[in-house]
Structure formats: C-alpha cells, structure tokens
Amino acid sequence: MGRIIALANQKGGVGKTTTAINLAASLATLEKTVLLIDADPQANASSGLGVNIATIETSLYECLTGDCEIHDAIYTTDIEGLDIIPSHINLVGAEIEMLNIDNREKVVRKLLDSVRKEYDYILIDCSPSLGLITVNALTAADSVIIPVQCEYFALEGIGKLLNTIKIIKSKLNTRLEIEGFLLTMYDSRLRLANQIYDEVKRHFQELVFKTVIQRNVKLSESPSHGLPAILYDADSTGSKNYLALAKEIISKNK
C-alpha cells in the first residue's frame, strides 16, 4: 500500500511546490514508484514537471467532478517511476461543484483507493489555502509535510494549520500524522535564518526533519525548464538536499 503524504501550508511562497516536485523526483530516482497529485489550481507542480497544461484533456478537476476515472488522468514524466495527475485552472471552481456531493471531504480518499496499491508514495501538492480540496487531501493522507521558510513570518499561520490538522484527525481521518516540518530557503550566513531554525526546532523538536533545504539558484531555475533539480543539475545543492530528504523519509517509513 502506497504511503500518501500531503504537502500543506496555507501561507504561499514557502517552497511547497518546489518540495513536491523535487521530493517526488528524488524518491523516483531512489527506485520508488511515485504519483504526484497537483491539487493547486495554479498548476505549478504540473508545469514544473514538463506537463503542457494547455494540451491535457484530463486533470484532477475531471476526477473530482466525476467526469473521468482516475487512471485516465495519470500522465508519465521524464523520470522513470514518477507519474503525475496534473492540475488545471478549472480546479478553482471544483470546491463549489463538490458542495452537493455526499461525503464531500472524502472524494480524494475514494479516488486514491483504486491506485494506492500501484505506488510506493503518493504526494499531494496542496494549494496555499485551507479550503475543501486541501481538507480532502488531508483526509486522504497518512501524513503531512509542512514546509516552513526561514524568514521572519515563518511561524505565522502554522497554529491555524495545526488546528485544521487536529480537527481533521478527530473528525475525518484518525490516522493523519505530521510527517515533519521542513525548513526551506535556509541561508546559513543569515543570523535570522539560524534563529528561526532554532525556534522551529525548539517548538516542534523531533518533528523537524534533519534535512534542511538551502537557498539555491538551480532550484529556482529548474521549474522554468520543466525539470526537477535532479535532472536540471544533479550536482546542485538543492538537488542534493532533496535527495537527502527522500532518503530520510524512506528510512523513517521502513
């Protein structure tokens, strides 16, 4: 049975999609079978893995509205073992269309039941909000990775996300765990980055990943080429960081 991990933080710009793309690619490079689900209407994870949003006929939107089977929305990528269910701008309207569905918080869970056995890991890139689709992702997931950027407002809003996770755990998904807090955009030269690292570590202790994602130009450049960092520049710091994170997650879930 594949492990389902949601990547969530309602704060934008924390490296969530970068993490989704590069963690998925790193897990596949380590010979795991991976399905990445782009649950963000901005579809950045899709384009970051080379999917041409303009030409796809099926996406997560069609799956959620019942217009297609989940297998019909799965696309292969340039990395062997890594598949993706892309997003589409239409996903913005899906939450309203889902309001009339029974058990609307469990639509994604039901969809994934039929593909879960086919993958080692299923990663869900959530949108930067706590709307119905993010609630669906957290209801379907075994665990959640919370990216936290090493900047001044880093911990702002995390309380709200943790509260949402607590509610979902008590009412919709008792098995939901926090996989870990991932520190992103870390620059060891900045005193502030080190202070935030210490603060997050003090707050969340063993829930913080040992791996830290450093600021890295190649990591920022790779999505514009439709490639994860490991294909764009395998020797870059960003690529090495995400490979280390993938190894940490695999050893944690043995």
Side-chain angles (χ1 to χ4, degrees):
M1 287 285 270
R3 184 167 182 78
I4 302 173
I5 304 176
L7 292 101
N9 192 330
Q10 78 274 25
K11 197 171 183 306
V14 298
K16 187 175 46 56
T17 299
T18 301
T19 297
I21 293 168
N22 289 290
L23 175 57
S26 297
L27 286 166
T29 303
L30 294 168
E31 299 184 341
K32 299 295 179 187
T33 49
V34 185
L35 175 64
L36 175 59
I37 298 172
D38 189 351
D40 185 345
Q42 293 175 78
N44 291 336
S46 306
S47 56
L49 280 176
V51 176
N52 185 347
I53 312 299
T55 59
I56 60 166
E57 290 177 13
T58 49
S59 67
L60 181 61
Y61 170 75
E62 283 77 18
C63 295
L64 291 175
T65 53
D67 293 333
C68 85
E69 293 295 318
I70 189 165
H71 285 93
D72 297 332
I74 295 174
Y75 295 77
T76 56
T77 70
D78 290 340
I79 292 186
E80 193 181 337
L82 173 55
D83 293 343
I84 183 168
I85 294 179
S87 182
H88 193 276
I89 190 66
N90 289 351
L91 200 58
V92 169
E95 298 201 348
I96 294 163
E97 292 180 51
M98 287 163 71
L99 289 176
N100 298 323
I101 300 173
D102 290 337
N103 284 330
R104 57 179 178 263
E105 300 88 358
K106 297 180 180 174
V107 178
V108 171
R109 181 194 281 186
K110 209 182 287 179
L111 281 173
L112 294 184
D113 279 347
S114 58
V115 293
R116 195 169 182 171
K117 295 188 291 293
E118 297 165 33
Y119 295 94
D120 296 315
Y121 290 92
I122 296 175
L123 303 183
I124 309 175
D125 183 30
C126 300
S127 67
S129 76
L130 294 177
L132 183 56
I133 292 173
T134 299
V135 168
N136 257 271
L138 294 172
T139 303
D142 297 303
S143 62
V144 54
I145 291 174
I146 302 170
V148 179
Q149 88 283 33
C150 292
E151 287 172 7
Y152 186 65
F153 293 115
L155 295 173
E156 195 181 72
I158 282 186
K160 198 172 177 188
L161 175 60
L162 292 177
N163 199 38
T164 303
I165 290 169
K166 198 170 152 188
I167 292 165
I168 287 169
K169 194 174 162 75
S170 67
K171 293 191 162 52
L172 295 165
N173 180 7
T174 52
R175 70 175 190 274
L176 184 63
E177 301 292 335
I178 291 173
E179 187 77 29
F181 290 85
L182 176 68
L183 286 148
T184 62
M185 306 177 197
Y186 177 74
D187 186 340
S188 58
R189 296 166 303 177
L190 300 178
R191 198 171 73 206
L192 178 65
N194 290 303
Q195 284 171 349
I196 285 159
Y197 176 84
D198 292 341
E199 197 175 336
V200 172
K201 202 86 175 125
R202 193 175 69 247
H203 266 280
F204 303 112
Q205 296 163 2
E206 74 284 351
L207 285 176
V208 182
F209 284 110
K210 290 185 180 73
T211 306
V212 171
I213 310 300
Q214 292 162 271
R215 274 199 185 279
N216 180 239
V217 175
K218 300 288 184 192
L219 212 47
S220 310
E221 288 175 355
S222 59
S224 63
H225 297 269
L227 294 169
I230 207 156
L231 286 189
Y232 182 63
D233 184 349
D235 287 329
S236 65
T237 303
S239 174
K240 288 173 181 170
N241 287 166
Y242 278 110
L243 208 51
L245 176 66
K247 287 174 182 170
E248 191 176 340
I249 287 170
I250 290 167
S251 66
K252 197 176 172 184
N253 292 304
K254 270 180 180 165

